Amino acid sequence: MNDIVLITLSGDDRPGITAGVSGILAQYAVNVLDIGQAVIHATLSMGLLLEIPGNVPRPELAEALQAFAGSHALQWRWQDISQESYGDWVSAQGRARYITTLLARKITADQVARVSTVFSRHGLGIDGISRLSGRIPLGELPPLSKACVEFSLRGPLPDLAAFRKELLEVASELEVDLAFQEDNMYRRNRRLVAFDMDSTLIEAEVIDELARLAGVGERVSAITERAMRGELDFAASFRERVALLKGLPETALEEVAAKLRITEGARHLIATLRLLGYKTAILSGGFTYFAERLQQQLGIDYVHANELEIADGVVTGEVNGVIVDGERKAALLRQLATLEGIDLQQVIAVGDGANDLPMLSIAGLGIAFRAKPLVQQSAEQSISTLGLDAILYLLGISDRYQPPPSDLAPDRFERV
């Protein structure tokens, strides 16, 4: 009968270790049942689960491995695995797999301890831990620093709702973001990302900025806040707010545009998505004047927003066409998915207000970004700690596979 053995090696990393070990095993016709290797700060940790044929002289093989480990200053271990234990391991391969992504400005031991305790309490085993963010220098953190650790989990998870609730509570207490996803074929196969604009791609509600210039800022801001919290019907409240802009000169739009800031990480995110072949869209309850400018600056593929009616150089207080409210955003998202020939599971939707919830709910990955409490509680994923480019971590894309960030600080609209 063939033997099953687990070999582990650790020590200073150097070229040729994997080739040397596997070369020795090859001489004895050993089969590799599982293999894993990681390097942390130039220190190697390697594990190999092996099937050793019954006719192989075990002492001779062990002696060869020991000699190799000694010549490379490696610690090593040989552990026999029972047939029963191996059978249990094989039978576990059908269990559900999950990914939890920890997002913060820096990673602390307390964060890892608290989060991993939640995993343990709900019967989830950790198969792997990976750092997706870049290396952090010592001393004071750089501006807008990013830190991300991804946990690969396995287990039955009998009470998903209770697990998510506890994870959300821990995230709130630690002031971090914790994204939890099923590790399925769609996770790395998204093809379209749709964004809200106001307070998502840009750091303002444009209609509020226009209202200030019109002298009705407080009235409009109060209505906007209630609408974004889901307390008012969006379409009706939008018409009410636009009506208050009547008489505003057209030049006010350029004045507002010149002061707007693009959200942290937006340029970097969209540039990376474009390199990866993703399509992007703006689905906004704001105005086409600003959305189309943003489209040109960022390279967005599709734009759907509201057209503010202007006559004789002044705002009329009316909107042309169908208002882009929550239901309209969801309908447009379905249309874009059909146009691109993809499943809704391959779509990501990002927004902050209650009118974004319909599109967040139908997308394969719905993300509440720096959102109102109602939206955070309703959306499957939420990002509040980092910028928009943290979405790349939710896709499993580490910093080493991303182009250098092009916006170390929020950027203003450019003249186009």
Side-chain angles (χ1 to χ4, degrees):
M1 181 180 293
N2 295 349
D3 294 330
I4 300 172
V5 172
L6 175 63
I7 302 293
T8 56
L9 300 102
S10 62
D12 292 342
D13 185 36
R14 66 189 72 180
I17 291 177
T18 304
V21 171
S22 57
I24 293 171
L25 297 173
Q27 294 174 25
Y28 293 87
V30 171
N31 297 320
V32 178
L33 302 173
D34 196 12
I35 184 170
Q37 177 175 314
V39 177
I40 299 179
H41 198 63
T43 299
L44 170 75
S45 178
M46 175 190 285
L48 301 104
L49 187 63
L50 309 172
E51 181 186 20
I52 301 176
N55 61 349
V56 169
R58 286 172 43 119
E60 183 179 317
L61 173 58
E63 184 178 340
L65 290 170
Q66 184 172 13
F68 177 85
S71 66
H72 288 76
L74 297 171
Q75 296 181 336
W76 84 294
R77 182 185 179 195
W78 173 299
Q79 179 184 354
D80 287 309
I81 303 298
S82 69
Q83 296 287 334
E84 181 182 9
S85 176
Y86 180 74
D88 291 342
W89 178 75
V90 171
S91 64
Q93 68 181 339
R95 291 182 184 173
R97 298 179 65 92
Y98 306 97
I99 295 292
T100 294
T101 311
L102 168 61
L103 305 167
R105 293 297 179 184
K106 63 178 180 180
I107 301 298
T108 69
D110 182 48
Q111 293 166 0
V112 175
R114 295 281 300 279
V115 173
S116 56
T117 298
V118 176
F119 301 156
S120 176
R121 190 153 43 235
H122 289 266
L124 290 175
I126 300 175
D127 278 354
I129 304 176
S130 302
R131 172 178 53 84
L132 300 185
S133 50
R135 298 174 182 177
I136 298 175
L138 292 175
E140 187 175 352
L141 289 175
L144 305 181
S145 65
K146 300 184 298 180
C148 173
V149 171
E150 178 184 276
F151 299 86
S152 178
L153 310 170
R154 187 194 297 272
L157 196 56
D159 194 339
L160 177 58
F163 174 78
R164 283 188 177 277
K165 181 175 182 293
E166 187 169 354
L167 210 59
L168 184 63
E169 290 171 352
V170 168
S172 177
E173 292 169 7
L174 294 174
E175 297 183 341
V176 302
D177 293 320
L178 290 168
F180 177 77
Q181 308 173 63
E182 185 177 350
D183 192 10
N184 57 32
M185 66 177 183
Y186 291 113
R187 179 172 175 257
R188 298 177 190 270
N189 192 31
R190 315 288 187 189
R191 305 312 311 153
L192 169 69
V193 187
F195 300 92
D196 174 45
M197 180 176 67
D198 296 53
S199 298
T200 300
L201 282 176
I202 58 175
E203 296 182 337
E205 293 288 336
V206 168
I207 196 168
D208 292 353
E209 301 303 316
L210 293 172
R212 289 188 183 94
L213 296 180
V216 290
E218 290 186 5
R219 292 171 65 186
V220 169
S221 292
I223 298 171
T224 299
E225 182 64 23
R226 292 186 64 195
M228 291 301 100
R229 291 199 304 260
E231 297 174 3
L232 299 174
D233 174 74
F234 180 85
S237 67
F238 184 71
R239 290 191 184 280
E240 180 182 356
R241 285 176 285 165
V242 171
L244 292 171
L245 301 180
K246 184 177 181 179
L248 185 70
E250 184 178 7
T251 55
L253 276 68
E254 173 59 36
E255 183 179 344
V256 168
K259 297 178 181 179
L260 292 175
R261 288 183 177 272
I262 295 173
T263 300
E264 173 196 349
R267 289 187 185 277
H268 181 219
L269 169 63
I270 293 172
T272 305
L273 292 174
R274 191 163 55 245
L275 285 175
L276 295 173
Y278 283 69
K279 296 292 186 178
T280 53
I282 293 175
L283 303 182
S284 173
F287 300 115
T288 54
Y289 178 91
F290 303 94
E292 289 173 355
R293 288 175 62 122
L294 195 58
Q295 177 184 28
Q296 294 180 53
Q297 290 187 39
L298 299 181
I300 301 287
D301 297 291
Y302 302 102
V303 165
H304 294 277
N306 298 302
E307 184 180 349
L308 186 62
E309 185 179 82
I310 296 174
D312 299 324
V314 297
V315 174
T316 67
E318 300 290 337
V319 178
N320 294 325
V322 179
I323 289 178
V324 180
D325 59 6
E327 295 306 318
R328 179 66 176 156
K329 286 187 179 187
L332 289 167
L333 194 65
R334 289 190 178 94
Q335 290 177 21
L336 290 176
T338 301
L339 181 64
E340 290 295 327
I342 60 176
D343 191 278
L344 279 171
Q345 284 295 317
Q346 296 176 275
V347 174
I348 300 171
V350 188
D352 73 297
N355 62 318
D356 296 312
L357 282 174
M359 74 171 181
L360 298 187
S361 67
I362 65 170
L365 179 61
I367 302 171
F369 179 74
R370 298 180 182 175
K372 311 302 183 288
L374 170 68
V375 185
Q376 286 189 20
Q377 294 165 13
S378 302
E380 283 199 355
Q381 312 298 342
S382 177
I383 297 176
S384 300
T385 305
L386 303 183
L388 273 172
D389 51 353
I391 290 172
L392 296 170
Y393 296 142
L394 271 59
L395 302 178
I397 303 171
S398 72
D399 282 356
R400 69 174 63 93
Y401 301 122
Q402 301 176 26
S406 58
D407 56 334
L408 296 180
D411 200 359
R412 295 187 186 279
F413 264 36
E414 300 167 358
R415 288 186 178 274
V416 294

